[in-house]
Each structure stands twice: as structure tokens, then as C-alpha cells.
Short mmCIF file of all heavy atoms in Angstrom, two decimals:
data_model
loop_
_atom_site.label_atom_id
_atom_site.label_comp_id
_atom_site.label_asym_id
_atom_site.label_seq_id
_atom_site.Cartn_x
_atom_site.Cartn_y
_atom_site.Cartn_z
N MET J 1375 -16.54 -18.13 -0.68
CA MET J 1375 -15.32 -18.04 0.09
C MET J 1375 -14.14 -17.76 -0.74
O MET J 1375 -13.35 -16.82 -0.43
CB MET J 1375 -15.09 -19.29 0.93
CG MET J 1375 -15.86 -19.29 2.20
SD MET J 1375 -15.73 -20.99 2.93
CE MET J 1375 -15.01 -20.63 4.48
N ALA J 1376 -13.90 -18.51 -1.80
CA ALA J 1376 -12.81 -18.38 -2.60
C ALA J 1376 -12.90 -17.07 -3.45
O ALA J 1376 -11.86 -16.66 -3.97
CB ALA J 1376 -12.71 -19.55 -3.64
N GLU J 1377 -14.00 -16.46 -3.42
CA GLU J 1377 -14.15 -15.20 -4.14
C GLU J 1377 -13.27 -14.06 -3.56
O GLU J 1377 -12.90 -13.12 -4.28
CB GLU J 1377 -15.64 -14.67 -4.04
CG GLU J 1377 -16.59 -15.53 -4.85
CD GLU J 1377 -16.40 -15.28 -6.33
OE1 GLU J 1377 -16.32 -14.11 -6.75
OE2 GLU J 1377 -16.32 -16.25 -7.10
N LEU J 1378 -12.89 -14.26 -2.35
CA LEU J 1378 -12.03 -13.30 -1.68
C LEU J 1378 -10.64 -13.17 -2.32
O LEU J 1378 -10.04 -12.08 -2.40
CB LEU J 1378 -11.90 -13.54 -0.19
CG LEU J 1378 -13.11 -13.32 0.64
CD1 LEU J 1378 -12.91 -13.82 2.00
CD2 LEU J 1378 -13.44 -11.78 0.70
N ILE J 1379 -10.18 -14.26 -2.88
CA ILE J 1379 -8.86 -14.28 -3.43
C ILE J 1379 -8.92 -14.04 -4.95
O ILE J 1379 -9.09 -15.02 -5.70
CB ILE J 1379 -8.14 -15.64 -3.10
CG1 ILE J 1379 -8.16 -15.90 -1.61
CG2 ILE J 1379 -6.70 -15.62 -3.65
CD1 ILE J 1379 -7.78 -17.28 -1.22
N LYS J 1380 -8.77 -12.84 -5.31
CA LYS J 1380 -8.84 -12.51 -6.77
C LYS J 1380 -7.41 -12.26 -7.35
O LYS J 1380 -7.22 -12.56 -8.46
CB LYS J 1380 -9.69 -11.24 -6.98
CG LYS J 1380 -11.18 -11.52 -6.87
CD LYS J 1380 -12.00 -10.28 -7.10
CE LYS J 1380 -13.45 -10.54 -7.01
NZ LYS J 1380 -14.30 -9.35 -7.13
N ASN J 1381 -6.63 -11.76 -6.51
CA ASN J 1381 -5.22 -11.44 -6.96
C ASN J 1381 -4.24 -12.26 -6.11
O ASN J 1381 -4.02 -11.87 -4.95
CB ASN J 1381 -4.96 -9.95 -6.88
CG ASN J 1381 -3.66 -9.60 -7.46
OD1 ASN J 1381 -2.80 -10.52 -7.83
ND2 ASN J 1381 -3.35 -8.30 -7.62
N PRO J 1382 -3.67 -13.29 -6.60
CA PRO J 1382 -2.69 -14.08 -5.80
C PRO J 1382 -1.39 -13.37 -5.56
O PRO J 1382 -0.60 -13.82 -4.76
CB PRO J 1382 -2.56 -15.30 -6.70
CG PRO J 1382 -2.81 -14.86 -8.05
CD PRO J 1382 -3.83 -13.75 -7.95
N LYS J 1383 -1.17 -12.24 -6.27
CA LYS J 1383 0.09 -11.53 -6.15
C LYS J 1383 0.05 -10.47 -5.05
O LYS J 1383 0.85 -9.54 -5.19
CB LYS J 1383 0.53 -10.94 -7.49
CG LYS J 1383 1.07 -12.02 -8.44
CD LYS J 1383 1.76 -11.35 -9.62
CE LYS J 1383 2.58 -12.38 -10.41
NZ LYS J 1383 3.33 -11.75 -11.51
N THR J 1384 -0.80 -10.56 -4.17
CA THR J 1384 -0.86 -9.53 -3.10
C THR J 1384 0.37 -9.68 -2.19
O THR J 1384 0.88 -10.78 -1.98
CB THR J 1384 -2.12 -9.66 -2.23
OG1 THR J 1384 -2.21 -10.95 -1.74
CG2 THR J 1384 -3.30 -9.35 -3.08
N SER J 1385 0.78 -8.58 -1.66
CA SER J 1385 1.92 -8.67 -0.75
C SER J 1385 2.00 -7.33 0.08
O SER J 1385 1.22 -6.44 -0.17
CB SER J 1385 3.26 -8.74 -1.61
OG SER J 1385 3.37 -7.67 -2.47
N PHE J 1386 2.89 -7.36 1.00
CA PHE J 1386 3.11 -6.15 1.80
C PHE J 1386 4.26 -5.40 1.27
O PHE J 1386 5.25 -5.97 0.82
CB PHE J 1386 3.38 -6.56 3.28
CG PHE J 1386 2.16 -7.02 4.01
CD1 PHE J 1386 1.91 -8.37 4.07
CD2 PHE J 1386 1.26 -6.13 4.55
CE1 PHE J 1386 0.72 -8.81 4.71
CE2 PHE J 1386 0.13 -6.59 5.20
CZ PHE J 1386 -0.15 -7.94 5.26
N ILE J 1387 4.14 -4.10 1.25
CA ILE J 1387 5.21 -3.26 0.70
C ILE J 1387 5.59 -2.16 1.71
O ILE J 1387 4.70 -1.71 2.43
CB ILE J 1387 4.85 -2.65 -0.68
CG1 ILE J 1387 3.53 -1.92 -0.62
CG2 ILE J 1387 4.85 -3.67 -1.81
CD1 ILE J 1387 3.15 -1.23 -1.87
N GLU J 1388 6.81 -1.80 1.62
CA GLU J 1388 7.20 -0.63 2.45
C GLU J 1388 7.24 0.62 1.58
O GLU J 1388 7.84 0.60 0.52
CB GLU J 1388 8.64 -0.89 3.04
CG GLU J 1388 8.97 0.20 4.06
CD GLU J 1388 10.33 -0.17 4.75
OE1 GLU J 1388 11.02 -1.09 4.39
OE2 GLU J 1388 10.70 0.61 5.67
N VAL J 1389 6.46 1.62 2.01
CA VAL J 1389 6.30 2.84 1.25
C VAL J 1389 6.88 4.03 1.99
O VAL J 1389 6.68 4.16 3.19
CB VAL J 1389 4.81 3.06 0.97
CG1 VAL J 1389 4.64 4.37 0.20
CG2 VAL J 1389 4.25 1.92 0.11
N GLU J 1390 7.55 4.82 1.23
CA GLU J 1390 8.09 6.05 1.86
C GLU J 1390 7.20 7.28 1.47
O GLU J 1390 6.89 7.45 0.31
CB GLU J 1390 9.54 6.31 1.33
CG GLU J 1390 10.21 7.52 1.95
CD GLU J 1390 11.64 7.70 1.43
OE1 GLU J 1390 12.40 6.75 1.37
OE2 GLU J 1390 11.93 8.84 1.06
N CYS J 1391 6.81 7.99 2.45
CA CYS J 1391 5.96 9.16 2.23
C CYS J 1391 6.76 10.20 1.44
O CYS J 1391 7.86 10.55 1.75
CB CYS J 1391 5.56 9.74 3.60
SG CYS J 1391 4.56 11.27 3.40
N PRO J 1392 6.15 10.66 0.33
CA PRO J 1392 6.84 11.69 -0.48
C PRO J 1392 6.90 13.06 0.19
O PRO J 1392 7.68 13.90 -0.25
CB PRO J 1392 5.95 11.73 -1.79
CG PRO J 1392 4.62 11.32 -1.30
CD PRO J 1392 4.79 10.30 -0.22
N LYS J 1393 6.14 13.23 1.22
CA LYS J 1393 6.07 14.52 1.84
C LYS J 1393 7.04 14.69 3.02
O LYS J 1393 7.79 15.62 3.10
CB LYS J 1393 4.65 14.76 2.30
CG LYS J 1393 4.33 16.21 2.58
CD LYS J 1393 2.78 16.37 2.83
CE LYS J 1393 2.44 17.76 3.20
NZ LYS J 1393 1.03 17.85 3.50
N CYS J 1394 7.04 13.66 3.88
CA CYS J 1394 7.90 13.74 5.05
C CYS J 1394 8.98 12.63 5.18
O CYS J 1394 9.79 12.71 6.05
CB CYS J 1394 6.98 13.70 6.31
SG CYS J 1394 6.30 12.11 6.76
N GLY J 1395 8.92 11.67 4.29
CA GLY J 1395 9.96 10.68 4.30
C GLY J 1395 9.68 9.52 5.26
O GLY J 1395 10.51 8.64 5.37
N ASN J 1396 8.58 9.55 6.02
CA ASN J 1396 8.23 8.47 6.95
C ASN J 1396 8.00 7.17 6.13
O ASN J 1396 7.42 7.19 5.10
CB ASN J 1396 7.00 8.83 7.71
CG ASN J 1396 6.51 7.75 8.65
OD1 ASN J 1396 7.26 7.30 9.45
ND2 ASN J 1396 5.32 7.26 8.49
N LYS J 1397 8.53 6.07 6.63
CA LYS J 1397 8.32 4.80 5.98
C LYS J 1397 7.35 3.92 6.79
O LYS J 1397 7.40 3.87 8.06
CB LYS J 1397 9.65 4.04 5.84
CG LYS J 1397 10.62 4.71 4.91
CD LYS J 1397 11.97 4.00 4.91
CE LYS J 1397 12.96 4.75 4.04
NZ LYS J 1397 14.36 4.23 4.22
N GLN J 1398 6.47 3.25 6.06
CA GLN J 1398 5.54 2.37 6.75
C GLN J 1398 5.14 1.21 5.83
O GLN J 1398 5.19 1.35 4.58
CB GLN J 1398 4.30 3.07 7.30
CG GLN J 1398 3.41 3.72 6.25
CD GLN J 1398 2.35 4.63 6.93
OE1 GLN J 1398 2.61 5.62 7.55
NE2 GLN J 1398 1.10 4.16 6.81
N ILE J 1399 4.77 0.10 6.49
CA ILE J 1399 4.38 -1.09 5.77
C ILE J 1399 2.86 -0.98 5.39
O ILE J 1399 2.01 -0.77 6.23
CB ILE J 1399 4.62 -2.30 6.62
CG1 ILE J 1399 6.03 -2.37 7.14
CG2 ILE J 1399 4.29 -3.60 5.73
CD1 ILE J 1399 7.09 -2.53 6.08
N VAL J 1400 2.56 -1.23 4.11
CA VAL J 1400 1.16 -1.24 3.67
C VAL J 1400 0.89 -2.51 2.89
O VAL J 1400 1.79 -3.14 2.35
CB VAL J 1400 0.82 0.03 2.84
CG1 VAL J 1400 1.07 1.32 3.58
CG2 VAL J 1400 1.62 0.05 1.56
N PHE J 1401 -0.39 -2.77 2.77
CA PHE J 1401 -0.82 -3.96 2.01
C PHE J 1401 -0.98 -3.51 0.57
O PHE J 1401 -1.70 -2.51 0.26
CB PHE J 1401 -2.13 -4.46 2.56
CG PHE J 1401 -2.62 -5.77 2.03
CD1 PHE J 1401 -1.72 -6.77 1.75
CD2 PHE J 1401 -3.97 -5.97 1.81
CE1 PHE J 1401 -2.20 -8.05 1.23
CE2 PHE J 1401 -4.40 -7.19 1.29
CZ PHE J 1401 -3.51 -8.19 1.02
N SER J 1402 -0.36 -4.24 -0.38
CA SER J 1402 -0.39 -3.78 -1.77
C SER J 1402 -1.77 -3.87 -2.41
O SER J 1402 -2.07 -3.26 -3.42
CB SER J 1402 0.60 -4.59 -2.59
OG SER J 1402 0.06 -5.94 -2.76
N ASN J 1403 -2.66 -4.60 -1.77
CA ASN J 1403 -4.01 -4.75 -2.34
C ASN J 1403 -5.03 -4.21 -1.35
O ASN J 1403 -6.11 -4.65 -1.25
CB ASN J 1403 -4.29 -6.23 -2.61
CG ASN J 1403 -5.42 -6.37 -3.65
OD1 ASN J 1403 -5.70 -5.49 -4.42
ND2 ASN J 1403 -6.03 -7.51 -3.68
N SER J 1404 -4.66 -3.10 -0.75
CA SER J 1404 -5.51 -2.49 0.33
C SER J 1404 -6.84 -2.08 -0.25
O SER J 1404 -6.92 -1.56 -1.34
CB SER J 1404 -4.75 -1.28 0.92
OG SER J 1404 -5.59 -0.67 1.87
N ALA J 1405 -7.90 -2.30 0.53
CA ALA J 1405 -9.24 -1.90 0.13
C ALA J 1405 -9.60 -0.57 0.71
O ALA J 1405 -10.67 -0.03 0.45
CB ALA J 1405 -10.20 -2.99 0.57
N THR J 1406 -8.73 0.01 1.57
CA THR J 1406 -9.02 1.33 2.09
C THR J 1406 -7.83 2.24 1.85
O THR J 1406 -6.67 1.83 1.62
CB THR J 1406 -9.19 1.19 3.66
OG1 THR J 1406 -8.01 0.62 4.20
CG2 THR J 1406 -10.41 0.32 3.94
N ILE J 1407 -8.12 3.50 1.96
CA ILE J 1407 -7.09 4.49 1.76
C ILE J 1407 -6.10 4.41 2.96
O ILE J 1407 -6.50 4.37 4.08
CB ILE J 1407 -7.70 5.95 1.71
CG1 ILE J 1407 -8.40 6.12 0.35
CG2 ILE J 1407 -6.64 7.03 1.88
CD1 ILE J 1407 -9.10 7.50 0.22
N VAL J 1408 -4.87 4.42 2.60
CA VAL J 1408 -3.85 4.38 3.68
C VAL J 1408 -3.09 5.75 3.76
O VAL J 1408 -2.67 6.27 2.71
CB VAL J 1408 -2.75 3.31 3.41
CG1 VAL J 1408 -1.69 3.33 4.52
CG2 VAL J 1408 -3.44 1.95 3.33
N LYS J 1409 -3.07 6.35 4.93
CA LYS J 1409 -2.47 7.65 5.12
C LYS J 1409 -1.20 7.55 5.88
O LYS J 1409 -1.10 6.60 6.73
CB LYS J 1409 -3.39 8.57 5.70
CG LYS J 1409 -4.56 8.95 4.85
CD LYS J 1409 -5.46 10.05 5.41
CE LYS J 1409 -6.52 10.49 4.35
NZ LYS J 1409 -7.32 11.59 4.86
N CYS J 1410 -0.26 8.42 5.65
CA CYS J 1410 0.95 8.48 6.40
C CYS J 1410 0.69 8.70 7.86
O CYS J 1410 -0.11 9.55 8.26
CB CYS J 1410 1.83 9.64 5.88
SG CYS J 1410 3.36 9.93 6.82
N LYS J 1411 1.28 7.88 8.69
CA LYS J 1411 1.04 7.93 10.19
C LYS J 1411 1.66 9.18 10.79
O LYS J 1411 1.39 9.64 11.85
CB LYS J 1411 1.60 6.69 10.84
CG LYS J 1411 0.72 5.49 10.58
CD LYS J 1411 1.38 4.20 11.12
CE LYS J 1411 0.57 3.01 10.79
NZ LYS J 1411 1.32 1.70 11.08
N SER J 1412 2.62 9.72 10.01
CA SER J 1412 3.30 10.88 10.54
C SER J 1412 2.67 12.21 10.15
O SER J 1412 2.44 13.08 10.97
CB SER J 1412 4.78 10.85 10.05
OG SER J 1412 5.52 11.94 10.54
N CYS J 1413 2.37 12.42 8.84
CA CYS J 1413 1.92 13.68 8.43
C CYS J 1413 0.51 13.66 7.80
O CYS J 1413 -0.12 14.66 7.52
CB CYS J 1413 2.84 14.33 7.40
SG CYS J 1413 2.86 13.56 5.78
N GLY J 1414 -0.09 12.45 7.58
CA GLY J 1414 -1.42 12.37 7.06
C GLY J 1414 -1.56 12.37 5.55
O GLY J 1414 -2.68 12.31 5.01
N GLU J 1415 -0.43 12.40 4.86
CA GLU J 1415 -0.49 12.36 3.39
C GLU J 1415 -0.98 11.00 2.91
O GLU J 1415 -0.66 9.99 3.49
CB GLU J 1415 1.01 12.55 2.90
CG GLU J 1415 1.12 12.54 1.36
CD GLU J 1415 0.84 13.89 0.77
OE1 GLU J 1415 0.35 14.82 1.49
OE2 GLU J 1415 1.10 14.09 -0.43
N THR J 1416 -1.82 11.06 1.93
CA THR J 1416 -2.39 9.80 1.33
C THR J 1416 -1.28 8.97 0.63
O THR J 1416 -0.62 9.58 -0.25
CB THR J 1416 -3.56 10.06 0.43
OG1 THR J 1416 -4.56 10.78 1.11
CG2 THR J 1416 -4.16 8.78 -0.10
N LEU J 1417 -1.13 7.78 1.03
CA LEU J 1417 -0.05 6.95 0.44
C LEU J 1417 -0.55 5.87 -0.53
O LEU J 1417 0.05 5.54 -1.51
CB LEU J 1417 0.74 6.24 1.57
CG LEU J 1417 1.48 7.16 2.54
CD1 LEU J 1417 2.24 6.28 3.56
CD2 LEU J 1417 2.48 8.03 1.75
N VAL J 1418 -1.75 5.35 -0.23
CA VAL J 1418 -2.33 4.27 -1.02
C VAL J 1418 -3.82 4.54 -1.26
O VAL J 1418 -4.56 4.84 -0.34
CB VAL J 1418 -2.20 2.89 -0.33
CG1 VAL J 1418 -2.83 1.76 -1.19
CG2 VAL J 1418 -0.76 2.56 -0.03
N ILE J 1419 -4.24 4.42 -2.59
CA ILE J 1419 -5.59 4.58 -2.95
C ILE J 1419 -6.10 3.28 -3.47
O ILE J 1419 -5.54 2.70 -4.40
CB ILE J 1419 -5.77 5.70 -4.01
CG1 ILE J 1419 -5.40 7.01 -3.34
CG2 ILE J 1419 -7.21 5.71 -4.51
CD1 ILE J 1419 -5.46 8.19 -4.42
N PRO J 1420 -7.16 2.73 -2.92
CA PRO J 1420 -7.74 1.45 -3.36
C PRO J 1420 -8.35 1.54 -4.76
O PRO J 1420 -9.01 2.53 -5.09
CB PRO J 1420 -8.80 1.09 -2.33
CG PRO J 1420 -9.19 2.41 -1.79
CD PRO J 1420 -7.96 3.29 -1.82
N GLN J 1421 -8.04 0.56 -5.64
CA GLN J 1421 -8.62 0.54 -6.93
C GLN J 1421 -9.04 -0.92 -7.23
O GLN J 1421 -8.63 -1.79 -6.49
CB GLN J 1421 -7.56 0.96 -7.97
CG GLN J 1421 -7.22 2.40 -7.93
CD GLN J 1421 -6.24 2.79 -9.04
OE1 GLN J 1421 -5.36 2.10 -9.44
NE2 GLN J 1421 -6.41 4.04 -9.57
N SER J 1422 -9.77 -1.13 -8.25
CA SER J 1422 -10.15 -2.47 -8.57
C SER J 1422 -8.91 -3.27 -8.98
O SER J 1422 -8.20 -2.78 -9.85
CB SER J 1422 -11.20 -2.44 -9.68
OG SER J 1422 -10.68 -1.81 -10.83
N GLY J 1423 -8.72 -4.36 -8.35
CA GLY J 1423 -7.50 -5.15 -8.68
C GLY J 1423 -6.40 -4.80 -7.69
O GLY J 1423 -6.29 -5.35 -6.59
N LYS J 1424 -5.55 -3.86 -8.08
CA LYS J 1424 -4.43 -3.54 -7.24
C LYS J 1424 -4.51 -2.05 -6.80
O LYS J 1424 -4.89 -1.19 -7.57
CB LYS J 1424 -3.14 -3.73 -7.99
CG LYS J 1424 -1.98 -3.91 -7.11
CD LYS J 1424 -0.80 -4.53 -7.86
CE LYS J 1424 0.33 -4.84 -6.92
NZ LYS J 1424 1.45 -5.58 -7.63
N ALA J 1425 -4.12 -1.81 -5.56
CA ALA J 1425 -4.15 -0.44 -5.06
C ALA J 1425 -3.07 0.43 -5.73
O ALA J 1425 -2.08 -0.07 -6.20
CB ALA J 1425 -3.87 -0.49 -3.54
N LYS J 1426 -3.41 1.72 -5.77
CA LYS J 1426 -2.46 2.69 -6.41
C LYS J 1426 -1.56 3.25 -5.34
O LYS J 1426 -2.04 3.79 -4.30
CB LYS J 1426 -3.21 3.77 -7.09
CG LYS J 1426 -2.30 4.75 -7.84
CD LYS J 1426 -3.16 5.82 -8.54
CE LYS J 1426 -2.29 6.76 -9.30
NZ LYS J 1426 -3.09 7.84 -9.93
N ILE J 1427 -0.29 3.08 -5.50
CA ILE J 1427 0.68 3.48 -4.54
C ILE J 1427 1.13 4.94 -4.91
O ILE J 1427 1.73 5.14 -5.96
CB ILE J 1427 1.90 2.57 -4.49
CG1 ILE J 1427 1.47 1.11 -4.38
CG2 ILE J 1427 2.82 2.94 -3.32
CD1 ILE J 1427 0.69 0.78 -3.17
N LEU J 1428 0.92 5.87 -4.03
CA LEU J 1428 1.30 7.25 -4.28
C LEU J 1428 2.72 7.61 -3.72
O LEU J 1428 3.41 8.42 -4.25
CB LEU J 1428 0.29 8.23 -3.73
CG LEU J 1428 -1.18 8.08 -4.16
CD1 LEU J 1428 -2.03 9.10 -3.53
CD2 LEU J 1428 -1.18 8.27 -5.77
N GLY J 1429 3.08 6.84 -2.73
CA GLY J 1429 4.40 7.08 -2.17
C GLY J 1429 5.46 6.29 -2.92
O GLY J 1429 5.16 5.62 -3.92
N LYS J 1430 6.69 6.39 -2.45
CA LYS J 1430 7.72 5.71 -3.10
C LYS J 1430 7.90 4.28 -2.47
O LYS J 1430 8.00 4.18 -1.27
CB LYS J 1430 9.06 6.47 -2.87
CG LYS J 1430 10.28 5.80 -3.46
CD LYS J 1430 11.55 6.61 -3.09
CE LYS J 1430 12.75 5.89 -3.52
NZ LYS J 1430 14.04 6.51 -2.96
N VAL J 1431 7.89 3.33 -3.32
CA VAL J 1431 8.00 1.96 -2.82
C VAL J 1431 9.52 1.66 -2.52
O VAL J 1431 10.34 1.72 -3.36
CB VAL J 1431 7.53 0.90 -3.90
CG1 VAL J 1431 7.67 -0.51 -3.34
CG2 VAL J 1431 6.04 1.18 -4.18
N VAL J 1432 9.75 1.39 -1.25
CA VAL J 1432 11.08 1.11 -0.75
C VAL J 1432 11.50 -0.33 -1.03
O VAL J 1432 12.54 -0.66 -1.58
CB VAL J 1432 11.25 1.47 0.70
CG1 VAL J 1432 12.68 1.20 1.20
CG2 VAL J 1432 10.86 2.92 0.95
N ARG J 1433 10.61 -1.19 -0.62
CA ARG J 1433 10.91 -2.60 -0.85
C ARG J 1433 9.54 -3.43 -0.72
O ARG J 1433 8.55 -2.95 -0.15
CB ARG J 1433 11.93 -3.19 0.15
CG ARG J 1433 11.43 -3.11 1.60
CD ARG J 1433 12.63 -3.39 2.48
NE ARG J 1433 12.26 -3.13 3.90
CZ ARG J 1433 12.24 -4.04 4.82
NH1 ARG J 1433 12.55 -5.22 4.58
NH2 ARG J 1433 11.93 -3.68 6.08
N VAL J 1434 9.60 -4.61 -1.29
CA VAL J 1434 8.47 -5.46 -1.26
C VAL J 1434 8.67 -6.68 -0.29
O VAL J 1434 9.70 -7.29 -0.37
CB VAL J 1434 8.15 -6.00 -2.68
CG1 VAL J 1434 6.93 -7.00 -2.68
CG2 VAL J 1434 7.83 -4.89 -3.69
N LEU J 1435 7.75 -6.86 0.55
CA LEU J 1435 7.86 -7.99 1.50
C LEU J 1435 6.83 -9.04 1.12
O LEU J 1435 5.62 -8.80 1.19
CB LEU J 1435 7.57 -7.49 2.91
CG LEU J 1435 8.32 -6.19 3.38
CD1 LEU J 1435 7.42 -5.44 4.39
CD2 LEU J 1435 9.65 -6.49 3.89
N SER J 1436 7.27 -10.17 0.61
CA SER J 1436 6.30 -11.11 0.16
C SER J 1436 6.09 -12.21 1.19
O SER J 1436 6.44 -12.06 2.31
CB SER J 1436 6.81 -11.78 -1.09
OG SER J 1436 8.13 -12.25 -0.94
ZN1 ZN M 2090 4.30 11.74 5.69
#
């Protein structure tokens, strides 16, 4: 059960799409690809540990 919590620094972040400027909230440790709800541009790519954020991080919501 405790195996699920590997990175205690997970948080939600607001990311701005580099393509259309749409802002949306994503999980910083997302296990799935997150795409822009407006244009479909890929914003977050899951990686081991922490997800790679392709969009511009507007702010961090902890
Ligand atoms: Zn977009």
C-alpha cells in the first residue's frame, strides 16, 4: 500500500498550453499523458518519478 507514495512532493500545477494559451490544472506526477482540452496539444508526459511538463507552468497549487 505504501508503495504508491514514492514522491511526497507531488502537487497540482496550472499549465499554459504553448500552442493556444489555454490554462488547465494537471497533476505534477501524472501517470498518463495530459493533453490540452482546447487544442489537443500534449502538455504532460509521464516519466519515472516526475512527469515532464511541456507547457508553461503558471503556478503550483500545493
Ligand atoms: Zn492548447
